[in-house]
Amino acid sequence: MKRTVDVVVVGAGMSGMYALHKLRGMGLTVQVFETGDGVGGTWYWNRYPGARVDVKSMEYNLPFDPDLDQDWEWTEKYPPQEELRRYLDHVADRLDLRRDIRLTTRVTEAVYAEPAQRWLVRTNRGDEVTAQYVIMATGCLSAAKLPEVPGLESYTGRWYHTGHWPEEPVDFAGKRVGVVGTGSSGVHVIPLIAQQAAALTVFQRTPNFVVPANNHPIDPEHQRSVKADYVRFRQANRESAFGTAFPPATRSALDVSDEERTAYFARNWHSPDNHPAGLLVGYTDMITNKEANDTVAQYVRDRIADIVDDPAVAAALQPVDHPFGTKRPCVGTDYYETYNLPHVSLVDVRTTPIAEITPSGIRTSEQEYALDTIVFATGFDAMTGALSRIDIRGRGGMALGEKWADGPRTYLGIAVAGFPNLFTITGPGSPSVLSNMAVSIEQHVEWVADALVALRERGASTIEATVEAEDAWTQHVDEVSRMTLYPTADSYYLGANVPGKPRVFLPYAGGVGLYRKTCDEVAANDYHGFALG
């Protein structure tokens, strides 16, 4: 396909779908490319058993259609992947999005042609599309990664990655199964595999804090009350720190008695209406003061000790090397309880590292484990991984990968100096993975759309971040992160899960509401920090 359009959008997840709808409504011609054979992004690929979002359903949805807000009925507090995919399929059909989305097509190259001031986008299927603007809606958690151990090609059993799960159900009945990784997807999948497998061995490198989901069907009256006040409800989320509104904290965790603090933690832990961020937002200093954070970290460790019968296993499951919340807290159902089952065992690969994958299983430094099936719950090359897998070249042929060799540099997480008319939705330097992604996606898509309107009104053809603005913002993102406990954890927020990746704090830790205000001020101040031409 050879075509000329106004905008190419890469990715058909939530951000790509919203961008398509928004830009098409402005009268722009749009071509969306999507690697998968369906829309939904994260919720297309992550089909593993137990996959679900960690944001409440009434808050995790696209905001642009008031009628859809009222018509769609959510069924659970934390909707599962199947429901989210049905919802996004429904959105695509309702808004007739599919006619501008080319599926099973991977963008391989995007090159800026300076004389023409247009982008040339190529795909693995031979498409060549020129566009004035390119929007990278590639997702923060879409570049799946396998562990850096040799031997996978020799393995004779079946293996899967949670981020690229097959459409057809996987049968674990009677199988010896190994799960590598105990991040969010591992926490979700382990209890369900344990219900089927004859034996389950979990290979854990870093224990994570897991908060009980306390998931349940949505109370119809609650759903009606939110829908009746959706405008105010959404605005409160937009102005909040994490994209989910909580009552503002007024006191340090250290200014209250141990009894009062423990009672607060217990209410959040046991409440049917709890939220993983709830343990962080009750006091003002949970993410900035190690002593304050220690109180909640110890509370969760104590709950693990209460739940897990074997003291040695309980100790291995208790995180001690990072503060609570410095990795995105996991929500789980019967996660810790699963380790009480007689056919489930835990292997600490920090003390006994995985040496290789063998034809029959996994060998650590201590022994070999015979496995019929291996599940890799080993996460993603977050925030930059999907972008680095595309050959993106700006002015003078500069490759984005070269520019970011020492870590990503952006202005507002939206734009990159030297790459005119290229936008990164929830890119590095924006709140992104520290937030309710639906709220951050909405804000970015609408900001970009408004910028294109401003260009059109002024008769300008390009918008590009200045080097000075990019430098200042990159420094600001780093300075804000250092005011928190986030950099003390070896997390994907810093790229620590990818060998050789520069250790740079990727998201913006200043909060969703403050970030939105900053972006609005930039636009109101004649797009300060951007060169319009």
Side-chain angles (χ1 to χ4, degrees):
M1 175 179 71
K2 291 191 176 183
R3 190 182 178 198
T4 298
V5 296
D6 295 316
V7 189
V8 164
V9 176
V10 184
M14 268 192 172
S15 53
M17 292 170 68
Y18 188 21
L20 170 58
H21 172 70
K22 185 75 174 177
L23 299 173
R24 206 163 64 178
M26 293 163 51
L28 298 173
T29 55
V30 185
Q31 178 63 62
V32 181
F33 291 109
E34 166 57 46
T35 302
D37 63 4
V39 301
T42 291
W43 306 114
Y44 168 83
W45 293 107
N46 287 265
R47 299 183 284 255
Y48 62 85
R52 66 179 67 245
V53 71
D54 61 356
V55 178
K56 296 175 184 178
S57 55
M58 301 300 293
E59 303 174 52
Y60 189 81
N61 49 72
L62 293 167
F64 51 73
D65 186 342
D67 291 335
L68 178 60
D69 280 348
Q70 299 301 318
D71 294 346
W72 186 265
E73 293 290 317
W74 295 100
T75 65
E76 296 183 45
K77 171 188 171 184
Y78 294 126
Q81 178 269 341
E82 299 89 346
E83 183 170 358
L84 288 162
R85 188 171 175 188
R86 285 196 305 272
Y87 166 75
L88 293 169
D89 278 336
H90 177 67
V91 170
D93 293 337
R94 182 188 184 103
L95 301 177
D96 190 24
L97 299 180
R98 298 182 197 275
R99 62 185 166 91
D100 290 319
I101 301 173
R102 186 162 167 81
L103 299 173
T104 61
T105 305
R106 180 173 54 84
V107 170
T108 57
E109 185 179 1
V111 178
Y112 186 68
E114 293 189 58
Q117 295 184 324
R118 296 185 71 83
W119 285 89
L120 173 62
V121 177
R122 294 188 175 98
T123 76
N124 65 332
R125 295 178 62 182
D127 303 296
E128 291 190 358
V129 179
T130 59
Q132 185 174 3
Y133 307 104
V134 171
I135 295 177
M136 291 294 174
T138 47
C140 295
L141 300 175
S142 57
K145 66 174 293 295
L146 291 167
E148 293 73 25
V149 293
L152 182 58
E153 70 284 351
S154 74
Y155 180 58
T156 58
R158 301 293 298 273
W159 68 268
Y160 308 90
H161 190 287
T162 51
H164 286 281
W165 204 262
E167 287 271 12
E168 64 277 5
V170 177
D171 184 10
F172 296 104
K175 300 286 186 12
R176 299 166 299 176
V177 182
V179 175
V180 181
T182 54
S184 185
S185 62
V187 165
H188 291 162
V189 79
I190 285 166
L192 295 181
I193 292 177
Q195 293 176 12
Q196 296 184 46
L200 172 61
T201 305
V202 177
F203 297 85
Q204 172 189 271
R205 181 178 64 179
T206 305
N208 276 298
F209 291 101
V210 180
V211 177
N214 297 339
N215 199 35
H216 55 77
I218 288 185
D219 177 5
E221 182 53 40
H222 170 70
Q223 186 153 202
R224 282 192 293 270
S225 68
V226 171
K227 288 182 175 183
D229 199 18
Y230 237 143
V231 173
R232 184 205 59 78
F233 183 80
R234 288 196 187 281
Q235 190 59 32
N237 286 342
R238 293 176 184 127
E239 295 172 357
S240 67
F242 296 110
T244 298
F246 292 94
T250 59
R251 295 181 294 175
S252 164
L254 306 177
D255 288 342
V256 302
S257 68
D258 292 348
E259 293 76 16
E260 180 179 345
R261 194 172 51 240
T262 300
Y264 170 79
F265 295 152
R267 285 194 301 273
N268 189 276
W269 185 268
H270 296 290
S271 170
D273 195 41
N274 74 338
H275 186 283
L279 289 170
L280 286 174
V281 300
Y283 301 103
T284 58
D285 51 356
M286 299 300 282
I287 206 65
T288 57
N289 184 312
K290 178 65 163 53
E291 187 179 357
N293 189 282
D294 284 344
T295 64
V296 68
Q298 189 56 50
Y299 177 84
V300 177
R301 287 192 286 264
D302 290 343
R303 301 292 72 71
I304 298 169
D306 290 342
I307 296 168
V308 180
D309 295 337
D310 186 325
V313 175
L317 289 167
Q318 294 175 35
V320 294
D321 65 346
H322 63 278
F324 180 86
T326 53
K327 296 185 176 187
R328 186 160 174 142
C330 300
V331 293
T333 299
D334 295 331
Y335 176 68
Y336 294 120
E337 289 84 349
T338 296
Y339 293 94
N340 293 331
L341 300 175
H343 66 294
V344 176
S345 58
L346 180 68
V347 177
D348 182 350
V349 300
R350 280 204 172 167
T351 57
T352 59
I354 295 176
E356 64 174 335
I357 297 168
T358 69
S360 59
I362 292 177
R363 183 176 66 81
T364 70
S365 60
E366 191 173 75
Q367 70 178 87
E368 183 169 352
Y369 298 84
L371 302 168
D372 303 306
T373 306
I374 301 174
V375 173
F376 294 103
T378 45
F380 303 89
D381 182 352
M383 299 194 68
T384 59
L387 294 170
S388 68
R389 296 181 185 188
I390 302 171
D391 185 9
I392 303 171
R393 296 182 179 268
R395 290 191 187 278
M398 167 63 75
L400 185 66
E402 293 176 18
K403 179 180 174 72
W404 286 2
D406 296 323
R409 306 183 66 80
T410 72
Y411 183 35
L412 303 175
I414 295 175
V416 183
F419 293 77
N421 294 353
L422 177 78
F423 303 97
T424 53
I425 303 300
T426 62
S430 73
S432 55
V433 291
L434 294 180
S435 72
N436 173 354
M437 289 297 297
V439 171
S440 290
I441 285 168
E442 173 203 19
Q443 185 263 331
H444 262 200
V445 169
E446 293 184 352
W447 193 94
V448 170
D450 289 345
L452 299 194
V453 169
L455 285 179
R456 186 163 59 186
E457 290 175 346
R458 299 172 195 207
S461 58
T462 62
I463 181 171
E464 179 181 355
T466 67
V467 172
E468 295 78 13
E470 180 182 81
D471 288 346
W473 184 254
T474 300
Q475 181 178 347
H476 176 62
V477 170
D478 180 65
E479 289 172 347
V480 171
S481 75
R482 293 180 187 281
M483 297 167 64
T484 74
L485 299 172
Y486 287 119
T488 65
D490 286 332
S491 69
Y492 71 72
Y493 297 156
L494 289 122
N497 63 320
V498 179
K501 189 169 183 176
R503 190 181 177 92
V504 174
F505 193 76
L506 298 169
Y508 177 61
V512 167
L514 177 60
Y515 173 81
R516 176 186 291 270
K517 182 179 178 182
T518 301
C519 289
D520 289 347
E521 289 173 350
V522 165
N525 193 17
D526 200 28
Y527 289 91
H528 177 73
F530 288 93
L532 279 60

